[in-house]
Amino acid sequence: MQNNQTDYLLHLADTTLILSQRNSEWCGHGPILEQDIAITNISLDLLGQSRNFYQYAAQLITDSKKESGAKTPPLEGLGEVTEDSLAYLRTEREFKNLLLVELQNGDWGQTILRQFFFSQFQYLLFQQLQQSNDAQLAAIAAKAIKETTYHLRWSSEWVVRLGDGTDESHQHMLHAIDELWRYTGELFEAAEYETAMGIDLAAVKQIWTEKVTAVFDEATLPVPENSFMQPGGKKGVHTEQLGYILTELQYMQRTYPNSNW
Amino acid sequence: MPVQDFEELFQYKIDQETKIEPKDWMPDAYRKTNIRQISQHAHSEIVGMLPEGNWISRAPSLKRKAILMAKVQDEAGHGLYLYCAAETLGMSREQMIDDLHSGKAKYSSIFNYPTLTWADMGAIGWLVDGAAILNQVMLCRTSYGPYARAMVRICKEESFHQRQGFESLLVLSKGTAEQKAMCQDAINRWWWPSLMMFGPKDSESTNSDQSMKWKIKRKTNDELRQQFVDMAVEQVKLLGMTLPDPHLKWNAERGHYDFGEIDWNEFWNVVKGNGPCNKQRLAARRKAHEEGKWVREAAAAHAEKRKKPHPDSYRDPKGGALAAA
């Protein structure tokens, strides 16, 4: 149970961290100043959420180290376990983020569409997690869902605007759907730790599909027919992108180990 | 009233410390100077996002990443208030941005220097924001109302950034030998460019006299620069670091620190476009703008569609869509 709980927290933490990292690439490069601010704001929210999950995971791992004594606690070898050691000193195969969030940003349409897919998912998930028996997890979800509500509104409005804007923007969105759709299946495919934590992803999937369909209808965009779905991220099998993300993300901590910043 | 009387009344208001507001009469040159200065200030905030944005993906801890991201986002916000303040003088944001991209409008040269190490984030906060604040505190009392009010808001956030920058250097200064070296190196590289931020010497500055008379500026470049040097010399002691100027020396007679000669050749070179990053900074801004064109067009087209009543929508005979048509 202990491992499933920390694995699940790390999955949530890694996913929000990597999406924050990706979105923050737009900072200073957005299509219009107001939206540059908005996407950076979302990056900041996601980073804050990831810190909450990492801190909680770090606390659980530290406690279990103390209790287990001779037994091997999870993530042995990290030294003192903190939010930073979990984010900066784990490797490609240990990261459990969704593949969707590690993909390259692409153009603004692709970034928006990914945010919409993710925020719609996260919103429904956090609704569930707010009811969790794990009081700390429930509290984090309750706080974060306020931010997610805004992310969802913002991203769905942009999907409509770009889908039903000009012919050119419509084409951009069709391309974005083509790039991203196959990574949406993983959202609902339960990893072992999700099942153990009692997360009902089937319920999330049903509402997610309805909501996405409604927004796509308004955006005059087609919902793809069932197609192949790429799994992997939740189990630590990633795209080739993740290694590069971690190379940048972890550069300082790897180059100057054991330093305070 | 003849123009001369308008001008007298205008100068009278300035002398009485009454703020000039957008609809008030003002001399053309006052309007132009303010547009130039405010838009240049806005562009500096926006271009200034790039050197610091350069380190967001590599910030050494999650806390530092959050602080840096929030700071760069604040700068975008400052750019936004300033573009709005400049727009009250009759120039559109689009026009200002075009002028930036064509090279007609300038931005602060400091952002044409590269951010090479993490310590540069601290040095920029401490020195660059520190220099900017001295100028901005003065501008809180500038004579053009919208600019002064924007500056009040901006100053609050900037002084927070400066403290954060200094604090991050303080951590480095107490760290490992590598961190200390990184800290000193960043101070060495940012010190002189920071002094240049105050502009040419008073004896060489073309815009100073009129701007002082109109109270757009209230202190001269050299006065502000001296104030900055006096402040930094004291603060660097807390870091246990040094400033890279052998001529820095307390002058009891003047009650100020003397300091060495700025390399004006370098200053003018960077102003003219030959700084280490001038090309890259402008190219990044142009690229963002060009690649965002389809997005802005789509947003406009969509807003237009939403304004028009849908052809199949119900038409209220008493008004609404019919009355509007």
Side-chain angles (χ1 to χ4, degrees):
Chain A
M1 178 61 203
Q2 175 76 65
N3 281 1
N4 283 323
Q5 193 185 10
T6 50
D7 280 352
Y8 186 53
L9 287 170
L10 289 174
H11 157 68
L12 295 171
D14 293 343
T15 294
T16 40
L17 175 65
I18 299 299
L19 185 54
S20 168
Q21 180 85 355
R22 275 302 191 203
N23 282 342
S24 73
E25 291 172 24
W26 280 103
C27 185
H29 306 276
I32 188 166
L33 194 48
E34 286 83 347
Q35 301 314 322
D36 200 308
I37 294 173
I39 193 85
T40 307
N41 201 40
I42 291 173
S43 294
L44 262 171
D45 287 344
L46 291 168
L47 178 58
Q49 292 173 12
S50 81
R51 293 183 66 191
N52 287 331
F53 292 129
Y54 280 129
Q55 285 165 10
Y56 183 30
Q59 181 205 322
L60 292 177
I61 294 167
T62 308
D63 291 350
S64 86
K65 267 185 170 180
K66 279 180 204 154
E67 284 166 22
S68 66
K71 272 196 292 173
T72 312
L75 299 162
E76 186 63 11
L78 278 182
E80 190 198 350
V81 180
T82 64
E83 57 167 359
D84 285 333
S85 71
L86 291 173
Y88 287 91
L89 300 175
R90 282 156 60 243
T91 62
E92 295 93 324
R93 299 279 283 108
E94 293 171 304
F95 265 69
K96 294 173 178 43
N97 60 278
L98 296 167
L99 297 179
L100 179 70
V101 301
E102 74 195 45
L103 304 175
Q104 283 180 327
N105 286 340
D107 62 19
W108 183 251
Q110 198 170 317
T111 297
I112 287 297
L113 184 64
R114 168 173 58 195
Q115 191 61 48
F116 169 60
F117 285 158
F118 178 74
S119 295
Q120 182 64 70
F121 170 73
Q122 203 192 35
Y123 179 80
L124 298 169
L125 180 68
F126 284 174
Q127 273 189 332
Q128 227 181 82
L129 293 182
Q130 282 186 102
Q131 314 299 325
S132 171
N133 294 328
D134 180 335
Q136 179 67 16
L137 181 57
I140 296 173
K143 180 168 178 274
I145 200 168
K146 292 176 194 145
E147 298 162 352
T148 306
T149 305
Y150 162 74
H151 305 166
L152 177 57
R153 200 182 74 201
W154 179 84
S155 58
S156 60
E157 282 172 4
W158 268 104
V159 168
V160 171
R161 210 170 273 143
L162 296 179
D164 188 24
T166 60
D167 289 344
E168 189 185 1
S169 70
H170 188 80
Q171 289 303 319
H172 278 272
M173 292 312 283
L174 292 179
H175 176 74
I177 294 171
D178 193 44
E179 290 291 318
L180 299 179
W181 187 256
R182 88 191 90 134
Y183 295 99
T184 58
E186 190 192 9
L187 274 53
F188 313 106
E189 214 168 283
E192 216 177 296
Y193 47 80
E194 286 171 304
T195 310
M197 291 290 288
I199 310 296
D200 182 1
L201 290 176
V204 171
K205 182 178 184 178
Q206 197 199 333
I207 306 175
W208 185 90
T209 308
E210 285 167 19
K211 298 281 184 188
V212 167
T213 304
V215 169
F216 272 29
D217 282 351
E218 201 187 341
T220 69
L221 293 169
V223 178
E225 298 296 316
N226 277 347
S227 60
F228 173 73
M229 290 293 173
Q230 179 68 52
K234 286 177 178 179
K235 292 178 184 162
V237 183
H238 291 275
T239 68
E240 290 178 345
Q241 292 301 315
L242 186 70
Y244 292 96
I245 296 176
L246 296 186
T247 301
E248 260 187 76
L249 177 84
Q250 301 180 337
Y251 159 66
M252 290 294 290
Q253 292 263 350
R254 301 269 186 205
T255 311
Y256 304 98
N258 306 315
S259 310
N260 289 320
W261 301 98
Chain B
M1 260 196 305
V3 171
Q4 200 186 345
D5 296 344
F6 278 114
E7 280 195 12
E8 273 173 26
L9 178 64
F10 174 80
Q11 189 62 49
Y12 176 77
K13 278 160 90 174
I14 300 255
D15 294 341
Q16 296 300 306
E17 299 290 336
T18 305
K19 291 278 181 258
I20 305 302
E21 295 300 334
K23 289 186 176 158
D24 294 350
W25 186 90
M26 62 186 86
D28 261 1
Y30 178 85
R31 184 183 299 275
K32 279 188 187 141
T33 304
N34 266 294
I35 290 178
R36 181 178 57 79
Q37 194 174 322
I38 302 170
S39 67
Q40 185 171 319
H41 193 162
H43 298 328
S44 300
E45 298 282 356
I46 301 307
V47 178
M49 294 169 73
L50 299 172
E52 290 176 285
N54 182 38
W55 276 89
I56 290 175
S57 68
R58 291 173 292 169
S61 71
L62 297 180
K63 181 182 134 195
R64 292 289 172 201
K65 190 191 281 291
I67 290 173
L68 183 59
M69 224 190 277
K71 182 190 172 187
V72 180
Q73 192 199 20
D74 281 348
E75 280 156 15
H78 297 171
L80 202 53
Y81 313 149
L82 288 163
Y83 281 128
C84 293
E87 279 185 317
T88 64
L89 289 160
M91 188 186 259
S92 71
R93 198 206 299 186
E94 196 59 27
Q95 180 63 51
M96 289 184 257
I97 289 173
D98 285 348
D99 286 351
L100 170 69
H101 294 170
S102 73
K104 188 179 163 203
K106 298 287 180 207
Y107 56 89
S108 177
S109 279
I110 193 78
F111 302 118
N112 290 318
Y113 288 87
T115 51
L116 302 180
T117 72
W118 169 252
D120 289 19
M121 298 304 99
I124 289 180
W126 176 43
L127 295 172
V128 175
D129 291 343
I133 287 166
L134 291 181
N135 196 31
Q136 289 167 352
V137 166
M138 166 188 83
L139 288 172
C140 291
R141 296 192 302 125
T142 192
S143 57
Y144 187 56
Y147 192 22
R149 289 189 288 272
M151 290 320 302
V152 171
R153 212 167 146 182
I154 290 172
C155 270
K156 284 182 193 157
E157 291 179 355
E158 288 289 357
S159 57
F160 185 60
H161 295 164
Q162 197 209 7
R163 282 202 299 277
Q164 280 175 334
F166 189 78
E167 188 267 340
S168 118
L169 289 184
L170 199 58
V171 171
L172 296 182
S173 75
K174 291 175 178 163
T176 63
E178 281 165 313
Q179 286 176 305
K180 284 176 186 161
M182 192 189 281
C183 180
Q184 182 63 61
D185 167 64
I187 294 170
N188 291 350
R189 281 183 291 110
W190 289 95
W191 173 249
W192 290 106
S194 300
L195 289 192
M196 293 177 198
M197 284 175 71
F198 297 97
K201 281 187 190 176
D202 294 346
S203 53
E204 316 260 323
S205 177
T206 46
N207 300 315
S208 261
D209 289 350
Q210 185 65 65
S211 288
M212 295 286 279
K213 188 175 168 223
W214 280 337
K215 295 187 182 172
I216 297 175
K217 289 177 69 158
R218 287 168 176 270
K219 286 182 181 176
T220 70
N221 295 354
D222 286 335
E223 282 169 349
L224 288 167
R225 186 163 20 238
Q226 182 69 60
Q227 201 182 337
F228 177 71
V229 170
D230 292 345
M231 185 187 79
V233 172
E234 292 307 318
Q235 290 175 345
V236 80
K237 292 176 190 166
L238 299 172
L239 295 174
M241 298 281 150
T242 57
L243 296 172
D245 180 358
H247 300 288
L248 268 177
K249 202 180 159 199
W250 177 249
N251 182 327
E253 204 173 306
R254 292 201 308 124
H256 291 291
Y257 281 92
D258 290 336
F259 54 98
E261 185 67 15
I262 288 168
D263 182 351
W264 294 109
N265 199 24
E266 176 180 325
F267 173 82
W268 288 114
N269 246 322
V270 182
V271 170
K272 284 174 191 152
N274 297 320
C277 299
N278 294 55
K279 272 181 90 118
Q280 292 90 324
R281 300 293 186 238
L282 261 192
R285 288 312 313 161
R286 285 197 196 111
K287 181 166 179 277
H289 195 68
E290 278 159 23
E291 289 181 354
K293 188 163 174 266
W294 70 270
V295 177
R296 296 189 299 275
E297 284 172 356
H302 182 75
E304 198 55 37
K305 282 184 194 175
R306 285 290 159 108
K307 252 194 253 166
K308 283 185 201 153
H310 196 275
D312 304 329
S313 68
Y314 170 72
R315 295 181 173 217
D316 174 1
K318 286 184 207 133
L322 257 192

